[in-house]
Amino acid sequence: MCVNNKLCPCGTGQSYVDCCGALHSGARTAATAEQLMRSRYSAFAVSDEDYLLRTWASKHRPASAGTDAGDRWLKLEILATENGGLLQNEGVVEFRAHYVGGVVHERSRFVRENGQWVYAEAL
């Protein structure tokens, strides 16, 4: 799926290239836990399994992220954030991720690992 000239799936209103695409390519890293959450949602939307695994805490990382190119992700809603800022090492993001056939509602914990934000676990 080519998303380079399209709006980013994460819902910021920016182009994919300038938003989550820059994180997926490694040109930038997430500055906050929420930014990482948004980029991981976009990675599911564009089936970027490598990025999802790279941004999963090593302690909890599965063998596969479970992406499916046939999944159609529709919208991300950030409901709440706790901590996870520029100078913090841990944060929680509550979100709803809408896809054809349902909704994922989760409170996710993010931590810094080797200076980078990573997804730790669902709470």
Side-chain angles (χ1 to χ4, degrees):
M1 173 176 164
C2 180
V3 292
N4 289 339
N5 294 323
K6 295 185 179 182
L7 290 178
C8 193
C10 81
T12 60
Q14 297 178 16
S15 72
Y16 171 74
V17 170
D18 293 332
C19 192
C20 294
L23 279 71
H24 295 171
S25 72
R28 287 195 331 257
T29 59
T32 66
E34 181 180 333
Q35 189 177 42
L36 183 68
M37 173 58 238
R38 287 180 177 280
S39 71
R40 286 177 56 83
Y41 169 84
S42 290
F44 274 105
V46 300
S47 298
D48 189 341
E49 175 128 349
D50 290 339
Y51 181 78
L52 289 164
L53 293 173
R54 228 176 30 246
T55 58
W56 215 307
S58 57
K59 180 178 173 181
H60 303 285
R61 186 178 299 132
S64 169
T67 60
D68 183 342
D71 287 342
R72 190 155 161 243
W73 294 91
L74 304 172
K75 178 174 78 168
L76 174 66
E77 292 178 275
I78 302 296
L79 304 175
T81 59
E82 300 168 20
N83 301 315
L86 294 171
L87 302 176
Q88 297 171 314
N89 291 317
E90 193 167 323
V92 174
V93 179
E94 181 178 4
F95 67 92
R96 278 193 204 110
H98 300 260
Y99 63 95
V100 172
V103 176
V104 175
H105 182 183
E106 183 177 301
R107 283 177 44 84
S108 298
R109 186 170 73 90
F110 296 87
V111 297
R112 286 198 193 259
E113 191 172 273
N114 300 317
Q116 306 296 318
W117 283 109
V118 293
Y119 169 76
E121 61 191 333
L123 299 174

